[in-house]
Amino acid sequence: MSLSARLRLVRPAFRLTLDLDVAWGEVVALLGPNGAGKTTALRLLAGLTRLTEGEIVLDGAELRALPPENRPIGMVFQDYLLFPHLSALDNVAFGLRCQGAGKAAARRAAADWLARVGLAGHTGARPGQLSGGQAQRVALARALAIHPRLLLLDEPLAALDAHTRLEIRAHLRRHLDAFEGATVLVTHDPLDAMVLADRLIVIEAGAVVQAGTPAEVARRPRTDYVARLVGLNLYRGTAQGRAVEVDGVVFTVAEPLDGPAFVAFSPSAVALYRSRPDGTPRNVWEARIDGVERHGDNVRIHLEGPIAAVADITPAAVAELDLTPGTHVWASVKAAETHAYPA
Amino acid sequence: MSERASVPGRLPWVLVLPAVLGLVFLVLPLAGLLIRAPWSTLGRRLTEPQVLEALRLSLVTATLATAICLVLGVPLAWCLARLSFPGRRVVRALVTVPLVLPPVVGGVALLLALGRRGLVGQWLESTFGVTLPFTTAGVVVAEAFVAMPFLVISVEGALRAADPRFEEAAATLGASRWTIFRRVTLPLVAPGVVAGAVLCWARALGEFGATITFAGNFPGTTQTMPLAVYLALETEPEAAIVLSLVLLAVSVVILASLRDRWVTSP
């Protein structure tokens, strides 16, 4: 492991407990809602906020006692914080100058980095003259130019509009692939996390609630927050063999289990009927429609009942079944489309 | 006026009349100065050696005082804005004391501290052979004492308004505290420093009370423009008017140079 950190911070109204191991070349995303402590974790790693307790070991060296300027880090801030009085070139050269490079050498290296992020023609531009996407790339070049061993990215795409975001996300992915050090990325956007990170750590209220590869987390969410992020219905119940009971509704599942278990299924796996469907009494419950909204090409129906759920239905089905708020319906989900795992 | 007034109707004379009187009160003395100025002999009077000497002395001492205020005042403003230490509020209050203190009292206080028999003055004389009162250096000290608060307050305000996260970004790029101050903080607050320095310089240029008390009134060494104006008024009123015109011109130039920052309200 190249980075091994045990971060502990105690504040009057907030407590952060986070253990973090990141290998060389690995990108770990800290994912969580606002106020979860993601940015605080980055600030602790950078040395901008003091640890209450714990350690930060990078490549065998303890960083805890070092001030930010002596840590081998590069950081990209959410709003980039490019120095407004310096040109793009001098912004990138700033860190190299601080490391003792001569003015000419620093500027040559900075020009090289700007070319690498596709901004060779913008060396003389002031930050105020750059677009959001360009400023993001200058900020990335500025952080990478000093050859950090730990790269910290705070919501690197949050300030961009949807179109630029797509382009910069791909751009950032390429640079992260080429970066040899450890990367810790903070985001509240699941798509950014899935595309950019090798591993996700989900934190809520200052504590880790789930960790794993993007695929694992997306497939087996363990909290409502994660389930909402990845767009799944998630329930906690009790399993007995191939049946999981959740608040009076029994789900038949593919994997045999015993004890506390999660059941997850996609909104598109839910079918709605005006009368009780025939066949197995399992995987079926009676619900009341609480809300109807557009969702991409489909219609998303919010259901109330023994369990709250969302269902994605085609507009044709909505019209045919006359699904309006307040209507009572029967909901069912196929056993093959539910996914159960130990809680 | 009509397009700005929020409520249409008759002019509120109760407010407008005193406002006009107030304006006249402020402008009339300046008009008097311009009207009574001996324009025909102006050129000759301006080039009199006494006037030139006072002008030169004023410019040199005010500039030196501003330099001292910059060297000491900018770090002081930085400490007040960026460090948290016990008694910071008290320190800030102490810094602003010369603003409200009558300058003559400042001069007396300077004599007690830096005079020949003063607390520090005694030691300065016995150790370095330096005496400040009634010297050109004394003029600089008196002006700096009175003018420094203008600089400190202006710079501290600029520092508080500047986003400290730029300094954090610089730290993550490997910049030491000093490098951050020099290459990030100072350029960001440069407009505030310039405004503060100009105000400071203007205050030093017009300094009278503390200077005459602490440094005396010796032509060539401590007689600055305001002192020369006061002295000339007794003997040569025309000379006093000419000297006053020069100071007025300087004030107008300063006002013009700062109009965007200080004079125009949003």
Side-chain angles (χ1 to χ4, degrees), chain A residues 89-90 92-93 96-97 100-112:
Chain A
L89 184 74
D90 285 332
V92 179
L96 296 162
R97 295 276 288 144
K103 195 166 190 165
R107 290 186 140 202
R108 264 199 311 280
D112 195 39

Side-chain angles (χ1 to χ4, degrees), chain B residues 70-85:
Chain B
L70 280 170
V71 169
L72 303 179
V74 172
L76 183 53
W78 185 87
C79 290
L80 286 173
R82 285 288 186 271
L83 302 182
S84 62
F85 52 90

Side-chain angles (χ1 to χ4, degrees), chain A residues 8-340:
Chain A
R8 304 285 182 273
L9 179 75
V10 181
R11 288 268 172 84
F14 180 75
R15 178 185 286 269
L16 177 74
T17 308
L18 176 62
D19 290 350
L20 199 59
D21 292 298
V22 188
W24 289 129
E26 191 183 24
V27 180
V28 169
L30 299 180
L31 186 65
N34 287 335
K38 311 181 297 282
T39 297
T40 306
L42 276 200
R43 292 179 60 86
L44 290 170
L45 290 171
L48 297 172
T49 300
R50 273 177 189 281
L51 282 176
T52 308
E53 226 183 281
E55 56 184 17
I56 301 167
V57 179
L58 184 66
D59 204 15
E62 169 63 90
L63 300 187
R64 184 180 171 174
L66 297 179
E69 63 263 29
N70 294 341
R71 299 188 183 194
I73 53 165
M75 187 157 176
V76 175
F77 293 83
Q78 182 171 358
D79 40 4
Y80 319 132
L81 296 177
L82 298 177
F83 305 126
H85 58 288
L86 298 180
S87 66
L89 184 74
D90 285 332
N91 261 284
V92 179
F94 185 94
L96 296 162
R97 295 276 288 144
C98 291
Q99 289 183 340
K103 195 166 190 165
R107 290 186 140 202
R108 264 199 311 280
D112 195 39
W113 271 103
L114 282 176
R116 275 204 234 180
V117 297
L119 289 174
H122 294 79
T123 50
R126 292 290 171 100
Q129 300 167 313
L130 297 170
S131 70
Q134 289 168 338
Q136 204 280 345
R137 286 188 278 170
V138 174
L140 182 67
R142 183 173 75 169
L144 287 174
I146 53 177
H147 294 288
R149 281 182 293 153
L150 173 60
L151 182 64
L152 305 169
L153 306 170
D154 188 6
E155 302 271 9
L157 304 171
L160 302 173
D161 62 73
H163 177 73
T164 318
R165 204 177 170 119
L166 203 67
E167 178 194 323
I168 296 292
R169 192 186 286 131
H171 177 263
L172 187 57
R173 172 77 254 187
R174 281 199 305 280
H175 280 279
L176 290 182
D177 283 343
F179 179 62
E180 289 170 351
T183 303
V184 180
L185 167 92
V186 153
T187 180
H188 67 270
D189 183 315
L191 189 55
D192 289 348
M194 305 278 170
V195 172
L196 296 173
D198 302 312
R199 204 147 49 81
L200 304 188
I201 295 178
V202 184
I203 51 180
E204 286 177 51
V208 176
V209 294
Q210 190 166 3
T213 65
E216 280 165 17
V217 172
R219 207 169 127 71
R220 300 186 157 199
R222 300 190 74 84
T223 70
D224 285 338
Y225 167 74
V226 183
R228 264 202 314 280
L229 276 188
V230 299
L232 292 180
N233 290 302
L234 175 71
Y235 309 98
R236 199 188 160 102
T238 313
Q240 249 186 334
R242 291 185 188 278
V244 182
E245 199 215 306
V246 180
D247 295 329
V249 180
V250 178
F251 289 97
T252 307
V253 295
E255 306 91 339
L257 273 178
D258 270 306
F262 283 116
V263 177
F265 53 86
S266 148
S268 59
V270 181
L272 298 182
Y273 305 92
R274 288 307 291 264
S275 56
R276 197 178 203 296
D278 299 333
T280 164
R282 289 183 170 181
N283 301 358
V284 174
W285 70 98
E286 190 177 8
R288 190 179 144 271
I289 295 179
D290 189 38
V292 178
E293 63 182 357
R294 267 211 92 75
H295 185 78
D297 289 340
N298 286 328
V299 177
R300 175 154 287 189
I301 312 276
H302 294 262
L303 300 171
E304 261 185 2
I307 56 174
V310 292
D312 286 350
I313 311 289
T314 62
V318 173
E320 189 185 322
L321 295 173
D322 188 21
L323 299 176
T324 53
T327 312
H328 282 268
V329 292
W330 289 88
S332 88
V333 56
K334 287 194 188 113
E337 297 192 52
T338 62
H339 185 57

Side-chain angles (χ1 to χ4, degrees), chain B residues 211-230:
Chain B
T211 310
I212 202 165
T213 314
F214 184 59
N217 186 12
F218 305 110
T221 51
T222 71
Q223 191 182 77
T224 55
M225 290 285 280
L227 271 57
V229 170
Y230 181 71

Side-chain angles (χ1 to χ4, degrees), chain B residues 121-203:
Chain B
Q122 230 168 4
W123 171 79
L124 276 180
E125 189 171 15
S126 61
T127 316
F128 302 102
V130 175
T131 51
L132 288 173
F134 311 111
T135 63
T136 306
V139 176
V140 175
V141 168
E143 289 179 350
F145 176 78
V146 173
M148 185 122 82
F150 287 85
L151 184 95
V152 175
I153 288 174
S154 172
V155 176
E156 195 203 339
L159 282 168
R160 287 192 177 280
D163 191 342
R165 294 180 314 139
F166 284 113
E167 296 169 11
E168 292 185 343
T172 66
L173 291 166
S176 65
R177 281 284 184 107
W178 171 239
T179 307
I180 293 173
F181 176 76
R182 200 167 45 83
R183 292 206 53 208
V184 177
T185 314
L186 213 46
L188 285 177
V189 300
V193 174
V194 170
V198 172
L199 278 179
C200 175
W201 188 79
R203 181 68 188 85

